[in-house]
Amino acid sequence: MMTKSDHPRWGAYLNGNGAEFGLWAPSQPEVWVRAGGRDVPMQRSAEGWFTATIPDLGPDDAYCYKLEDGRTVPDPAARAQKDDVHGPSLLVDTASYDWQYHWQGRPWEEAVIYEIHVGTFTEAGTFRAMIDRLSALADLGITAIELMPIAQFAGNRGWGYDGVLPYAVHPAYGTPEDLCALVDAAHGQGLMVLLDVVYNHFGPEGNHLSDYAPEFFHPDCHTPWGAAIAYERAPVRNFFIDNALHWLREYNLDGLRLDAIDHIHDPSDPDLLVELAMAVRAEFPERKIHLTTEDNRNITRLHERDGDQVPLYTAEWNDDWHNTAHVIATGETEFYYVDFADDPQAHLARTLAEGFAFQGEFSQLKGEPRGKPSAHLPPLAFVDFLQNHDQVGNRAYGERIDRLAEDRAVQALHAILLLSPHIPLLFMGEEYGETRPFLFFTDFHGELADAVREGRRREFAGFGAFTDASAPLPDPNAWETFEASRLDWSEREGSGYVRLGEIRELLALRATEIVPYLAGVGGQSGRMLESEPDVVAVDWHLNGTVLHLRANLGEHVRSVPAAPGRTIWGSGGDSFGPWQVHVTKAHR
């Protein structure tokens, strides 16, 4: 296994007297750097690495690579582009940014995550425009913002999961310096900044790697988005490991969320995911860095603990929590919700007590067993959410939960989400009940735009909720689809005022009544209690206290198990009315 110092570096770096360049292009006998009005030949190693040093270059100077056939391509590890994903790259000096806050991070148990799409969070859709909204989030009780992917993709509009230049900041959102300013301002408000990164594929437009490094991919192995990536090759795995270190080092980020890691298949030992986490932990021993994953397999090997230490990944996005809660709130049981239709309240209780609902049981959707036992992991190993970009935006019409469920159901589930010992996540606008949709949008053209549009129609053709809909599906490439997805901040102080107050109260209670008891809590801390239908009853043994949750998530009055201790939310008793939630604490 090559260590970080053993391999040439991808990309271009300013060295005080010019710039150094590194590119892995094993299919090319010769490569040149075009910069400063001249083509400079690069030195080739036996492994296909090309390197060059060019004096008299500085920040914002443009460059590109010229291949043997005369074509020019951008740097796949460019820190910024001059224009679009096909054109020249730019030299960047983030080291010169004057950081105002010497920030070391916050402990994970304090995390209340707020997921943001930069382009639709504000009217301007930029990093700088976000800064003015940070104090409102901090005042609410949010402690971490999580940015959907910001690596550059083709066009101006998109979710970010079709990025092709993983090191470059998407220019529609601002410059690298603008991103530094956002992170710095967030830290000044006490907010962690997490970033969603995509290491399982490249987008369909603007990826030039196969032109000079076809070995980067497996021609006979595919993912849903194209050829699989050859992670077992050292230059390839270093590309992604260095990328993770780049975001954390250059922009002082507090952590990363790795998207859809079930599509990262690497036979190496250690595999890419393990080596990446180990590299991060080794690089930043003094900082509180948090790594989370998205993975519908419900595996646990990456999230195991060593006492109180996190050797690899901090937490997993818990789709099971969302799916059970969504079925309870809406009654929808199509597609992946089918697995949770039989007894959603029991599934929710299990996720709260043990992490996953499916821990090896047969999945009707998958047609095979799904998941691993998870009760041995601490509650902090799970990120729960009632909404996120996927669960809203991958609906045909992008409806948020408030369009699909009654207020009392949403209110009850928010209380459970924010007062459980798991890590809660809110999707932007959720705190005040945003009524605008969050739609799937792109900025492709020609045949690719047609393919995306038609693929979207086929995706929803079999859904009963959409086959009879009178409204046509929104065109992902239309400007109006993007515009319709912007937050309406006027709702926050208008129709959303009551919801906002409820969320603020719940987060204040979480900060004072729950967070102080989460540090050091281990596995096997949660226990489901036998209950009547529709009732969720869970006890957690935390650090110095026992937390009792009782909820009736149905339409009939139900008896609930006794919940001793002091009430911190709701009102108790032996019987609960519909959608009643009660949380108590008793000292151990």
Side-chain angles (χ1 to χ4, degrees):
M1 180 179 68
M2 298 180 82
T3 65
K4 181 171 65 71
S5 60
D6 291 329
H7 64 81
R9 295 191 297 180
W10 288 87
Y13 298 85
L14 293 167
N15 60 15
N17 187 35
E20 302 173 11
F21 301 84
L23 178 72
W24 186 59
S27 73
Q28 295 290 302
E30 295 180 292
V31 176
W32 295 260
V33 180
R34 177 168 291 176
R38 60 192 189 278
D39 292 344
V40 177
M42 303 182 76
Q43 297 296 313
R44 191 186 196 282
S45 73
E47 295 77 24
W49 277 102
F50 287 83
T51 56
T53 299
I54 303 178
D56 302 322
L57 294 176
D60 297 326
D61 281 346
Y63 70 98
C64 60
Y65 295 117
K66 189 179 81 169
L67 307 181
E68 184 189 26
D69 62 5
R71 286 179 296 166
T72 58
V73 295
D75 185 349
R79 272 51 177 174
Q81 288 290 102
K82 184 176 181 180
D83 295 303
D84 65 18
V85 295
H86 302 288
S89 305
L90 294 177
L91 292 168
V92 172
D93 181 18
T94 54
S96 64
Y97 183 82
D98 183 16
W99 294 93
Q100 300 301 300
Y101 299 97
H102 300 287
W103 173 266
Q104 293 298 312
R106 295 184 67 156
W108 181 242
E109 64 266 18
E110 296 179 0
V112 176
I113 305 172
Y114 187 88
E115 188 188 20
I116 293 174
H117 178 270
V118 176
T120 56
F121 183 63
T122 64
E123 186 64 29
T126 65
F127 299 129
R128 295 279 182 177
M130 283 181 60
I131 293 174
D132 293 336
R133 297 292 185 182
L134 295 178
S135 61
L137 300 181
D139 291 345
L140 180 65
I142 300 299
T143 62
I145 59 173
E146 180 164 314
L147 307 180
M148 289 172 62
I150 58 173
Q152 189 163 354
F153 50 85
N156 287 321
R157 308 180 301 276
W159 281 13
Y161 296 92
D162 282 329
V164 291
L165 296 172
Y167 289 74
V169 172
H170 190 58
Y173 303 152
T175 65
E177 183 178 9
D178 293 335
L179 176 58
C180 288
L182 170 63
V183 175
D184 206 16
H187 290 165
Q189 294 284 347
L191 295 168
M192 296 181 276
V193 184
L194 313 174
L195 176 64
D196 201 344
V197 292
V198 182
Y199 295 155
N200 51 51
H201 77 289
F202 290 84
E205 180 185 345
N207 173 26
H208 296 276
L209 276 162
S210 58
D211 293 339
Y212 48 84
E215 295 87 346
F216 204 99
F217 303 95
H218 290 295
D220 300 322
C221 183
H222 294 273
T223 73
W225 310 286
I229 297 170
Y231 302 104
E232 70 277 9
R233 296 183 184 275
V236 176
R237 67 197 296 108
N238 291 333
F239 181 89
F240 294 106
I241 293 170
D242 288 351
N243 182 260
L245 298 174
H246 157 76
W247 287 115
L248 296 168
R249 183 192 305 118
E250 300 299 316
Y251 296 103
N252 271 2
L253 294 174
D254 298 276
L256 305 172
R257 172 205 182 253
L258 277 65
D259 178 68
I261 64 168
D262 48 310
H263 292 289
I264 295 177
H265 303 294
D266 180 12
S268 308
D269 185 15
D271 63 34
L272 171 73
L273 293 167
V274 171
E275 189 176 349
L276 185 152
M278 292 171 60
V280 168
R281 300 301 178 201
E283 180 83 4
F284 307 103
E286 303 302 321
R287 285 172 53 190
K288 295 178 177 65
I289 301 292
H290 310 300
L291 301 176
T292 64
T293 57
E294 181 203 24
D295 185 347
N296 65 17
R297 296 171 298 178
N298 285 9
I299 64 172
T300 61
R301 69 177 181 88
L302 298 172
H303 305 87
E304 304 293 351
R305 290 332 198 230
D306 182 5
D308 292 341
Q309 301 302 308
V310 178
L312 299 175
Y313 290 85
T314 316
E316 164 80 357
W317 274 38
N318 194 356
D319 283 340
D320 281 10
W321 195 102
H322 166 271
N323 294 346
T324 58
H326 188 89
V327 171
I328 291 168
T330 69
E332 293 183 353
T333 57
E334 289 189 298
F335 196 37
Y336 48 76
Y337 297 126
V338 68
D339 278 342
F340 305 89
D342 55 339
D343 191 349
Q345 285 83 356
H347 287 308
L348 186 65
R350 193 183 198 197
T351 65
L352 289 165
E354 301 180 2
F356 296 137
F358 280 79
Q359 302 180 31
E361 290 78 16
F362 183 83
S363 162
Q364 185 176 340
L365 176 68
K366 299 288 187 181
E368 60 185 8
R370 171 173 168 262
K372 298 291 184 181
S374 57
H376 67 289
L377 294 177
L380 295 175
F382 302 95
V383 176
D384 297 344
F385 39 84
L386 186 56
Q387 301 182 85
N388 65 32
H389 73 275
D390 264 334
Q391 308 298 351
V392 178
N394 281 328
R395 299 180 63 85
Y397 302 106
E399 307 100 321
R400 294 166 178 265
I401 193 68
D402 291 283
R403 293 289 194 186
L404 305 171
E406 295 183 23
D407 285 347
R408 58 182 182 164
V410 176
Q411 183 183 35
L413 290 166
H414 272 145
I416 295 172
L417 172 69
L418 300 179
L419 296 180
S420 98
H422 294 200
I423 297 298
L425 177 144
L426 298 171
F427 184 54
M428 61 178 195
E430 183 177 351
E431 74 276 19
Y432 59 85
E434 173 67 67
T435 58
R436 288 182 177 178
F438 183 74
L439 297 160
F440 179 73
F441 48 83
T442 57
D443 188 18
F444 297 134
H445 303 278
E447 293 182 0
L448 180 56
D450 293 337
V452 170
R453 190 180 300 114
E454 291 307 313
R456 196 74 176 161
R457 292 195 180 107
R458 287 194 303 272
E459 181 178 353
F460 294 108
F463 283 77
F466 311 120
T467 52
D468 298 327
S470 58
L473 289 178
D475 180 357
N477 293 291
W479 172 258
E480 294 77 14
T481 303
F482 171 72
E483 278 291 295
S485 302
R486 288 192 194 274
L487 291 187
D488 180 3
W489 282 87
S490 67
E491 285 193 50
R492 196 173 194 271
E493 303 304 326
S495 58
Y497 185 77
V498 173
R499 169 69 57 75
L500 190 67
E502 293 170 353
I503 298 297
R504 178 177 284 109
E505 182 180 1
L506 286 165
L507 290 179
L509 287 171
R510 179 180 183 85
T512 58
E513 300 283 1
I514 296 175
V515 170
Y517 302 93
L518 295 181
V521 174
Q524 311 295 343
S525 60
R527 181 171 67 95
M528 298 178 289
L529 279 67
E530 186 174 343
S531 308
E532 289 191 359
D534 300 332
V535 171
V536 172
V538 179
D539 293 343
W540 293 277
H541 287 258
L542 305 180
N543 188 3
T545 194
V546 181
L547 190 68
H548 305 276
L549 166 69
R550 305 291 183 265
N552 176 9
L553 302 181
E555 298 294 342
H556 304 285
V557 174
R558 300 293 189 189
S559 296
V560 301
R566 177 172 57 88
T567 295
I568 64 172
W569 180 261
S571 57
D574 295 330
S575 62
F576 277 23
W579 305 104
Q580 183 177 343
V581 177
H582 186 215
V583 181
T584 66
K585 278 173 55 181
H587 288 294
R588 297 174 62 180

